[in-house]
Amino acid sequence: MQTSAFFFTELDESLRPKGSRDPIGLEPVWSQVGRRLVGNLTTVTRSLDNFIVTLVGFAIAAQGGSSKDETEPGSSEFYLRFERFEQLAAWGRFAHGRPDVVGTRIIASRDQDRKDGKVAIGAGTAAKILGDQRRSGLWGLYSTALMATGLVDAKRRLKVEGYRIVKPFLYYYYASPAMKTLRMHMDDPARTIHVNPLELDIGPLLESPGRDALAVRLLREGEGPMQKAIYDRMRSPDFGCFDKISTLFTALASDSSANAKLSSYAQNVILLERTLVVVAAAFDFLLGPQSRPLADVMQTFVNSGWDDFSLWNSLTPPEDTFRRLFTGVWQRRVERLYEIVGHLCAGQLAEFIHALLAFHADIMRERGGPAWVQIDSTGAMRGIMGEQRALPQSKTVLASWNNDYFIGAFIALMRNTPAYNDGADRGLAA
């Protein structure tokens, strides 16, 4: 199976439930753009510790218990062993104050009710750390990124490079005396066991020198055509200045001498992002269950400076060469978005609102659901879903940045490598 099949697809609105987020279909637009930058990470795969637990967990699951030499990847027993390791690691990390544990909410709740200092671990309901651990835990969230990095296959079986990277974790740390209690719990044949989380300190495993090799592999080998170039750019001394996604794109766009292709791509992303931000801000204001006359809605746009069409001159489309990189469905959707904001550029507020709502209605129709908001026969705007947000000033919108392009996860992982020497935890703002 080609790992790219996990990411590079047409925009398929049927994959989203009727009540899903993203009611104007912008996520498939920016995500296709982001996939050419970062080919393996997602918006949620930001924790190197979680990658370590996932990759080591697949290796340990395949080893089998004390009574069996190995477990076949893809089998139910393989998953159950991984599930147990994930729970043990999660409880150990939680008990020793390590961040980024998937399942913290349920773990914290169960931690209040510990009996004799122990908690249930295993396949039963009492042991769960997530409502659906298989889909919402590390198996579902982090394994796809490992596949796209060439470390595991679709059955979560480690590939050659996966074995090379996981070896230091397994043979020098998991096999050490410090991990004896955890290994004993992994080999316990009982379906549900009870353990003391304080005995599960996996800090030495997570701090193995192998973490640097895994981080570099994740950052450089993600199949994004420009991913290696971004990694090299991130290793520069000014990396610590990139505390916002917009700041990074500005830096990439202005640095044509280092990589002209990446610079041009970043410039086009900035152009696209301006339009996505404007459209999203307007639609968020149009949402809401209350009935509002269109004239009142338009007056709010005027009061917020949206009638000054000279401000929208920056809403220019990306270059043709950039747009041709993507699918026909992507190109048609983006073309329509620029038709919508074209009404703003012409000072046609009413036409802008009507065009935006028609676009939303078409998106929802493709998904098989009703429009969340529309203008009725009396000229009143009525919504059935969503919460209205305040309409920002036009100048504020143009200075905003909404979308991740998978760069957020890239920067978060980069902060876990020696290349990030600042030491300050700025957080990543958009």
Side-chain angles (χ1 to χ4, degrees), residues 137-393:
L138 301 181
W139 180 281
L141 297 181
Y142 277 76
S143 60
T144 302
L146 292 173
M147 292 179 215
T149 314
L151 300 180
V152 302
D153 64 18
K155 290 186 176 181
R156 279 69 171 177
R157 178 188 288 109
L158 269 66
K159 294 185 175 182
V160 173
E161 188 64 16
Y163 277 115
R164 184 188 71 80
I165 289 179
V166 87
K167 185 176 180 179
F169 296 99
L170 288 179
Y171 296 106
Y172 298 109
Y173 292 91
Y174 182 69
S176 71
M179 299 286 109
K180 181 179 179 180
T181 300
L182 192 147
R183 293 197 306 272
M184 177 187 70
H185 291 315
M186 284 300 301
D187 291 342
D188 193 320
R191 178 179 173 85
T192 301
I193 59 176
H194 292 83
V195 306
N196 185 339
L198 294 175
E199 299 175 354
L200 301 173
D201 183 8
I202 68 166
L205 179 71
L206 297 175
E207 295 303 329
S208 162
R211 69 186 280 117
D212 294 339
L214 175 57
V216 171
R217 175 78 187 193
L218 290 164
L219 290 166
R220 294 188 76 248
E221 307 297 332
E223 293 191 344
M226 288 169 277
Q227 192 155 334
K228 289 183 177 67
I230 296 174
Y231 173 73
D232 290 339
R233 182 68 180 87
M234 292 286 199
R235 296 176 66 197
S236 66
D238 60 348
F239 169 72
C241 299
F242 302 145
D243 58 344
K244 296 182 179 181
I245 296 176
S246 56
T247 304
L248 174 59
F249 273 103
T250 299
L252 294 176
S254 62
D255 193 12
S256 59
S257 60
N259 190 307
K261 180 180 178 181
L262 179 57
S263 174
S264 174
Y265 196 89
Q267 291 169 24
N268 282 289
V269 172
I270 292 172
L271 292 177
L272 177 67
E273 177 67 8
R274 286 173 183 161
T275 289
L276 299 186
V277 167
V278 168
V279 168
F283 186 78
D284 286 345
F285 168 68
L286 297 178
L287 284 174
Q290 68 276 24
S291 176
R292 293 175 288 168
L294 179 58
D296 291 351
V297 172
M298 290 179 58
Q299 187 59 51
T300 303
F301 276 97
V302 172
N303 294 343
S304 299
W306 285 59
D307 62 330
D308 184 357
F309 59 87
S310 65
L311 291 173
W312 307 118
N313 291 334
S314 62
L315 300 182
T316 55
E319 299 169 348
D320 289 342
T321 53
F322 176 84
R323 285 181 282 175
R324 286 197 295 268
L325 294 172
F326 307 104
T327 66
V329 177
W330 185 97
Q331 293 180 42
R332 289 189 292 274
R333 182 168 297 184
V334 169
E335 181 180 357
R336 191 164 175 193
L337 287 171
Y338 277 94
E339 290 175 356
I340 293 170
V341 297
H343 293 298
L344 274 182
C345 298
Q348 302 168 339
L349 279 176
E351 290 82 353
F352 168 72
I353 294 171
H354 278 282
L356 179 53
L357 293 182
F359 178 73
H360 160 65
D362 288 344
I363 294 293
M364 298 309 297
R365 191 177 300 111
E366 292 173 13
R367 297 176 187 171
W372 291 12
V373 60
Q374 57 187 332
I375 299 174
D376 64 20
S377 58
T378 68
M381 186 168 297
R382 299 179 184 275
I384 61 171
M385 289 186 67
E387 180 179 351
Q388 178 188 341
R389 298 182 185 178
L391 183 67
Q393 293 290 317

